[in-house]
Amino acid sequence: MRAEDPRPILLKDYAPPAFLIEDVRLEIDLDPATTRVRATLKMRRNPDAPRGPLILNGQKLALHEVAIDGEMLSGNAYQTDSEHLTIPDAPDGAFTLEILTSCGPEANTQLLGLYLSSGIYCTQCEAEGFRRITYYLDRPDVMAVFTTRIIADQKFAPVLLSNGNLTASGKLPGNKHFAEWHDPFPKPSYLFALVAGDLAHVEDKFVTQSGREVTLRIFVERGNEDRCAYAMEALKRSMRWDEEVFGREYDLDIFMIVAVSAFNMGAMENKGLNVFNDKYILARPDTATDADYAAIEAIIAHEYFHNWTGNRITCRDWFQLCLKEGLTVFRDQEFTADMRSRAVKRISDVRLLRSHQFPEDQGPLAHPVRPDSYIEINNFYTATVYEKGAELVRMIHTLAGPKRFRKGMDIYFERHDGEAATVENFLDALADGAKLDLTQFRRWYSQAGTPEVLVSGRYDTARQTYTLKISQVCAATPGQKLKEPYHIPIAVGLVGPDGKDMALQLDDEEKAKGTTRVLNLTERTQTFRFHNVEEKPVPSLLRGFTAPVTLSANLKERDWVFLMTHDSDPFNRWEASQRYASGLLISLVEALQAGTRLRKGEAFAEMTRKLLADKKLDPDFVAQMIQLPGEQTIAQLIRENVDVDAIHEAREHLRLSIAGAIKDELLAAYRRQRIEGPYSPDASHAGRRALRNICLSYLAILPGSDGVALAARHFAEADNMTDQIAALGVLVNIDCPEREEALAAFYDQWKDDHLVMDKWLAIQATSSLPGTLDNVNRLLRHPAFTIRNPNKVRALITSFATANQVRFHAADGAGYALVADKVLELDSLNPQVAARLLGAFKSWRQFAPKRRALMSKQLARIAGVEGISRDVFEIATKTLA
Ligand code: B3K
Ligand code: ZN
């Protein structure tokens, strides 16, 4: 490290704040260039902390006045540096600190703190953005009651919003007006929000379980009012669900959501005033896909659920981030499972975990679900904290069962409402309420890495027993060489030769009961023996994916084929299909490299044929089953000297042989799944579209022009965005005139719609055709693109870097160079987005030496740039280490 390199913050250094803030009054006079903020803070020394100076956080602020108890401080009574305001001799008793500062929302390109974008003033304070609005104790364990008075030009910003309930509003001289908001619930500064601008809204209401009426408003840019209905319905369903499933009721008179087009992430749970990336609010059948609708429903729920898990009970410090995020993801997953297909939801959550979290856990950026050190906290809103964090809560749910889990949650809410809590607080409440011993389980929060579970099953014909020998290992991760064994719940079943589940009787049990059993693996190696097993079974292991581990078992290809047709556990049925397909794909990659004969994968085609013919199955589930694992999944499984071109070719070969083998069945299903009548985003229609569009994707690649013609017709006839974009997604990978025609037609139809244009950019960036890199370069200069908008960056550059394995990893390194250039360009505008994008390099070690060298060269180039942000510095140096 260089002398001036940023220093890491450590969990073990946590100390309570020297001062507390009880009450905050903000007066914010909005102006694009100079917004003046007067903060009046009622403070006192923290009786539980050693006596020390008052050090407030602040960044990019102009300080005008500081006063204590009405008396202006002279310049030598305080000091400032680029990050702090220090008052060495603050009073001993309670006092009022008044600070007048100004900031410049228009010049704020980081979209952190108060910014102005597309004519809307908006804030983003989590994690440490509030310090760009005023000097403050900007840490989550300082909770205060906020009153906010907003002053703005009446014409420019007729709508003025902040947290809580509206308490006053009125006109002011000079065409100005004001609004005053009061939030009675003490909260940390990261949950503060302000929005002001010329916004339209739609309104509804919700009556809570105790009979209180809550006003619901969704604010959008004028003209978008017709795209809010689905979000509003999803909000009401979320509110009802949280009452029914967790007993949690909403607590203010009004709940507001604002959709903005420039936002660093998906959404933000500010108390009573959620701010959303408009991509996750706005939906109309012709502009949003089924996946968009599903994401809207899930994110609305997620942010709403934060009201209890995050806001009412918040985090003591940022190391505890999973306390609110992992738990809230678990809650939104359960909500979606209840609204849609539970099996399909589990499959897609595990897909996400494996594609985003596993590579993180297995690479240089691996960190525990509760990290113990960070340089820039914004880099820790990761798949590990969110998705693996949710898996940890799910394991507790599995261990406790739903009733006892609920009891534990009730205790958690009772004990810690109004507090800034820790992971220990949560686990203690759950252990007490659910009557569980979670002592060993805690290791999941502090040890990084994905444990590997090795299973070997043995049937003893003479004794009629089936024995599972299960062991666990976890590879070293940065800073953690040795791992203690985890407590791993493993649901298992035994499937008999007739394809039916067998009744299970373990060693210490008197008689058989049930057909799925959760085994507790707590040691490095354990054996579990089942009795009265009359015939040799095939074990169905880790049903429902009860733990975030990788599993190796002594199962053969024919066992996976057997399970993919028979397993009664839908998750494992899907898993078996993917195991079979990935095994096949890996053998194809090897055959391509060795120049030997390529197998055709008849079993997968055969399974697909059967599934397509089975009218009883949920089409959405069938769609999951017949989709081959992605190229990155295969790369991850191969792990060393990955050859991206061979993987691409192997997968295309397999797709083609499946399509060829069952062309008629695919066509029949394609026709049968066509939906007559108006579009509905519900899961059953969406599932049929998903299946139909996968059939299309197979049919379109068949040689001859029939397939292409079918895709072109699908595109032309589509009456909803799901079908339109599915057809475009197929055509964009085929070098044919229809491709250019469709792209042009799509552009013409949607050029004025910024959200649909993001789809147009993304779909081109993920094309596997050789001209893609040049096209991305062209699109970077296209009027539909701007590097200042995070959605545009994600659509064009992130899609290219993370969802186009063959082109990003082009052998000459041009893909890497392009992305690295953009990381650097972005860093000076928006470091958070730049650091995220740089994450595309995290698996660099898994590639063959030439690509590895090219990737590390770019990383080193970035790490060496003088004046690079903390965000990018941390990712670049840790990735290289
Ligand atoms: N809590 C926010 C994420 C904030 C990210 C700050 N870099 C959204 C969410 O998880 O609900
Ligand atoms: Zn969240």
Side-chain angles (χ1 to χ4, degrees):
M1 266 207 180
R2 302 171 290 199
E4 72 279 16
D5 284 346
R7 274 227 312 260
I9 317 279
L10 306 180
L11 168 60
K12 68 173 170 51
D13 291 345
Y14 172 82
F19 288 81
L20 301 174
I21 305 176
E22 265 143 31
D23 186 89
V24 179
R25 194 185 152 81
L26 295 172
E27 205 176 285
I28 304 184
D29 195 343
L30 291 170
D31 176 84
T34 314
T35 288
R36 286 167 75 85
V37 178
R38 181 175 295 279
T40 309
L41 315 176
K42 293 217 166 83
M43 312 191 62
R44 63 188 167 93
R45 285 186 186 270
N46 182 358
D48 299 326
R51 200 189 139 82
L54 173 55
I55 307 174
L56 299 139
N57 310 98
Q59 274 173 16
K60 301 228 168 172
L61 297 171
L63 177 61
H64 306 299
E65 290 170 24
V66 190
I68 288 186
D69 292 329
E71 251 181 68
M72 204 81 89
L73 298 195
S74 70
N76 49 24
Y78 61 87
Q79 295 110 40
T80 56
D81 61 31
S82 62
E83 309 231 351
H84 308 97
L85 164 63
T86 305
I87 304 175
D89 299 309
D92 279 333
F95 62 97
T96 301
L97 175 65
E98 242 180 293
I99 306 169
L100 180 65
T101 52
S102 56
C103 57
E106 192 177 45
N108 182 350
T109 57
Q110 298 200 16
L111 314 186
L112 187 60
L114 173 67
Y115 61 94
L116 178 65
S117 178
S118 314
I120 313 286
Y121 289 100
C122 177
T123 57
Q124 171 56 37
C125 293
E126 187 177 2
E128 299 179 331
F130 191 73
R131 63 187 64 181
R132 303 165 128 255
I133 299 175
T134 182
Y135 284 104
Y136 200 76
L137 300 178
D138 193 12
R139 44 186 289 166
D141 56 354
V142 172
M143 297 171 80
V145 169
F146 280 68
T147 306
T148 307
R149 186 181 168 92
I150 312 167
I151 301 163
D153 184 272
Q154 165 92 50
K155 242 214 170 110
F156 187 81
V159 174
L160 306 175
L161 310 174
S162 191
N163 318 85
N165 301 314
L166 181 70
T167 48
S169 63
K171 286 201 184 315
L172 292 171
N175 295 323
K176 287 191 166 194
H177 71 145
F178 76 95
E180 201 168 292
W181 293 83
H182 176 74
D183 178 5
F185 293 95
K187 66 165 176 289
S189 49
Y190 83 85
L191 290 172
F192 170 81
L194 173 156
V195 173
D198 187 6
L199 293 160
H201 74 265
V202 296
E203 183 166 319
D204 207 327
K205 64 175 201 288
F206 179 83
V207 180
T208 69
Q209 60 184 8
S210 71
R212 280 186 318 101
E213 191 172 301
V214 180
T215 302
L216 310 177
R217 282 196 191 135
I218 299 181
F219 293 85
V220 292
E221 275 172 31
R222 290 194 181 283
N224 282 334
E225 297 93 319
D226 66 337
R227 300 195 199 188
C228 302
Y230 187 77
M232 187 64 94
E233 285 308 309
L235 173 61
K236 289 191 284 183
R237 284 187 278 121
S238 307
M239 295 177 87
R240 189 61 73 214
W241 186 90
D242 212 15
E243 293 183 344
E244 284 167 1
V245 179
F246 280 91
R248 298 295 113 199
E249 188 173 326
Y250 187 62
D251 50 9
L252 289 164
D253 302 337
I254 183 164
F255 184 79
M256 297 176 285
I257 291 176
V258 185
V260 299
S261 57
F263 207 59
N264 279 347
M265 60 255 171
M268 177 64 210
E269 70 264 25
N270 317 299
K271 181 80 188 187
L273 179 58
N274 287 187
V275 176
F276 270 64
N277 187 324
D278 58 1
K279 173 178 161 70
Y280 297 117
I281 292 291
L282 303 178
R284 223 173 44 199
D286 60 333
T287 62
T289 61
D290 293 331
D292 292 328
Y293 278 96
I296 290 170
E297 179 181 70
I299 298 177
I300 291 262
H302 180 95
E303 306 310 330
Y304 174 73
F305 297 157
H306 266 315
N307 192 49
W308 275 95
T309 49
N311 302 2
R312 290 285 288 253
I313 305 181
T314 192
C315 301
R316 185 193 72 173
D317 55 74
W318 292 119
F319 294 102
Q320 320 294 327
L321 187 57
C322 67
L323 177 69
K324 74 178 179 81
E325 295 305 347
L327 177 55
T328 306
V329 171
F330 170 75
R331 276 150 54 68
D332 82 57
Q333 290 175 345
E334 284 299 292
F335 168 74
T336 303
D338 284 347
M339 297 296 126
R340 295 166 178 250
S341 150
R342 183 162 281 271
V344 172
K345 176 60 176 162
R346 189 66 188 134
I347 291 167
S348 56
D349 287 341
V350 175
R351 268 192 212 276
L352 180 74
L353 185 80
R354 286 180 173 156
S355 62
H356 287 77
Q357 200 278 325
F358 280 18
E360 200 164 89
D361 235 353
Q362 292 161 5
L365 300 176
H367 53 275
V369 169
R370 179 169 64 185
D372 36 36
S373 140
Y374 62 78
I375 291 176
E376 169 53 59
I377 186 56
N378 282 322
N379 286 332
F380 283 79
Y381 288 74
T382 59
T384 298
V385 170
Y386 276 65
E387 268 66 44
K388 187 175 179 183
E391 291 300 319
L392 305 197
V393 178
R394 183 171 297 282
M395 282 194 280
I396 299 175
H397 185 270
T398 300
L399 292 170
K403 281 216 178 79
R404 289 193 299 156
F405 179 81
R406 168 69 195 268
K407 188 95 202 29
M409 286 301 298
D410 288 349
I411 291 190
Y412 175 61
F413 291 124
E414 243 164 66
R415 272 189 203 164
H416 300 291
D417 186 12
E419 287 178 11
T422 59
V423 167
E424 281 75 16
N425 294 152
F426 174 72
L427 291 175
D428 287 345
L430 265 292
D432 292 351
K435 307 224 173 337
L436 284 174
D437 181 356
L438 295 174
T439 323
Q440 185 182 358
F441 188 85
R442 272 162 215 242
R443 286 182 191 146
W444 279 106
Y445 285 89
S446 54
Q447 295 190 151
T450 306
E452 203 181 326
V453 171
L454 308 138
V455 184
S456 116
R458 205 170 51 84
Y459 183 60
D460 186 328
T461 322
R463 293 200 171 81
Q464 299 215 328
T465 57
Y466 190 78
T467 309
L468 288 172
K469 185 170 163 217
I470 312 187
S471 5
Q472 54 167 310
V473 287
C474 185
T477 50
Q480 292 187 339
K481 270 224 176 79
L482 297 175
K483 318 275 172 158
E484 296 296 323
Y486 293 82
H487 179 178
I488 308 178
I490 304 176
V492 300
L494 299 179
V495 187
D498 58 355
K500 299 225 164 67
D501 276 343
M502 296 173 152
L504 302 179
Q505 180 184 357
L506 276 167
D507 257 350
D508 51 351
E509 294 170 351
E510 291 196 350
K511 57 176 200 301
K513 54 172 200 277
T515 53
T516 297
R517 191 66 51 84
V518 177
L519 306 176
N520 285 287
L521 179 67
T522 53
E523 287 156 38
R524 293 201 194 272
T525 301
Q526 268 166 273
T527 42
F528 301 87
R529 192 164 52 199
F530 295 95
H531 292 269
N532 296 321
V533 183
E534 286 167 9
E535 286 172 290
K536 185 176 183 212
V538 177
S540 168
L541 303 162
L542 203 68
R543 283 188 156 170
F545 200 73
T546 46
V549 299
T550 58
L551 183 102
S552 333
N554 63 334
L555 293 184
K556 303 228 159 46
E557 188 174 284
R558 63 161 190 276
D559 298 319
W560 296 121
V561 171
F562 177 79
L563 290 173
M564 78 193 190
T565 10
H566 296 296
D567 203 319
S568 66
D569 180 70
F571 176 83
N572 263 11
R573 199 169 169 194
W574 169 78
E575 174 73 355
S577 77
Q578 302 297 299
R579 288 279 182 142
Y580 166 77
S582 39
L584 185 63
L585 284 165
I586 292 170
S587 74
L588 287 172
V589 169
E590 288 162 358
L592 278 167
Q593 287 166 334
T596 52
R597 198 186 66 86
L598 299 184
R599 297 167 58 197
K600 284 208 155 69
E602 289 85 354
F604 200 86
E606 194 42 42
M607 172 200 78
T608 304
R609 184 202 308 277
K610 281 198 193 127
L611 291 170
L612 290 176
D614 188 338
K615 307 244 163 59
K616 290 195 301 288
L617 284 172
D618 170 13
D620 210 357
F621 178 71
V622 177
Q624 300 292 333
M625 289 284 295
I626 70 173
Q627 208 171 331
L628 292 176
E631 293 175 18
Q632 279 166 333
T633 307
I634 303 306
Q636 258 178 62
L637 292 170
I638 295 176
R639 265 204 195 183
E640 278 174 12
N641 289 317
V642 165
D643 176 347
V644 292
D645 300 312
I647 293 177
H648 181 70
E649 203 181 324
R651 194 169 179 275
E652 289 311 298
H653 162 83
L654 184 55
R655 265 161 40 84
L656 199 58
S657 58
I658 294 168
I662 55 166
K663 178 175 180 209
D664 296 342
E665 288 84 349
L666 287 164
L667 197 58
Y670 174 81
R671 296 201 173 114
R672 195 172 53 245
Q673 296 301 345
R674 185 192 159 92
I675 299 171
E676 302 294 339
Y679 173 91
S680 152
D682 67 32
S684 83
H685 276 197
R688 292 182 60 183
R689 276 187 291 273
L691 181 52
R692 183 162 185 258
N693 287 328
I694 289 189
C695 292
L696 173 72
S697 72
Y698 276 113
L699 290 165
I701 54 171
L702 284 170
S705 61
D706 285 8
V708 169
L710 185 71
R713 204 162 54 238
H714 194 88
F715 179 81
E717 288 173 3
D719 65 354
N720 63 77
M721 183 49 74
T722 307
D723 288 337
Q724 197 180 12
I725 206 81
L728 193 61
V730 164
L731 288 170
V732 83
N733 289 314
I734 304 173
D735 191 4
C736 58
E738 289 84 345
R739 172 188 198 269
E740 304 314 315
E741 283 160 24
L743 282 170
F746 193 91
Y747 177 75
D748 261 2
Q749 186 181 355
W750 295 116
K751 56 182 177 305
D752 299 325
D753 189 304
H754 67 276
L755 288 178
V756 181
M757 272 297 101
D758 291 348
K759 299 184 195 301
W760 184 77
L761 294 170
I763 216 143
Q764 296 182 70
T766 52
S767 166
S768 59
L769 294 185
T772 296
L773 181 91
D774 290 342
N775 194 33
V776 169
N777 266 314
R778 259 195 309 278
L779 291 170
L780 284 166
R781 295 188 301 269
H782 192 283
F785 179 81
T786 159
I787 201 162
R788 290 173 178 262
N789 182 290
N791 283 358
K792 301 286 166 207
V793 171
R794 286 183 283 255
L796 186 58
I797 313 173
T798 311
S799 301
F800 174 73
T802 61
N804 193 347
Q805 188 157 273
V806 262
R807 295 304 154 203
F808 174 56
H809 295 282
D812 62 357
Y816 306 144
L818 172 110
V819 175
D821 286 349
K822 293 297 145 187
V823 168
L824 288 172
E825 187 181 340
L826 264 170
D827 193 49
S828 55
L829 296 167
N830 189 332
Q832 235 181 100
V833 174
R836 272 278 146 144
L837 177 59
L838 186 54
F841 287 81
K842 68 173 170 296
S843 302
W844 65 280
R845 281 204 174 82
Q846 74 180 15
F847 296 95
K850 254 186 76 189
R851 289 186 168 96
R852 218 183 298 159
L854 290 165
M855 288 180 96
S856 65
K857 194 177 108 194
Q858 296 298 341
L859 282 161
R861 166 163 83 105
I862 291 170
V865 169
E866 201 64 46
I868 199 91
S869 69
R870 259 201 321 226
D871 312 54
V872 166
F873 172 83
E874 178 169 38
I875 302 292
T877 51
K878 287 186 175 171
T879 306
L880 276 172

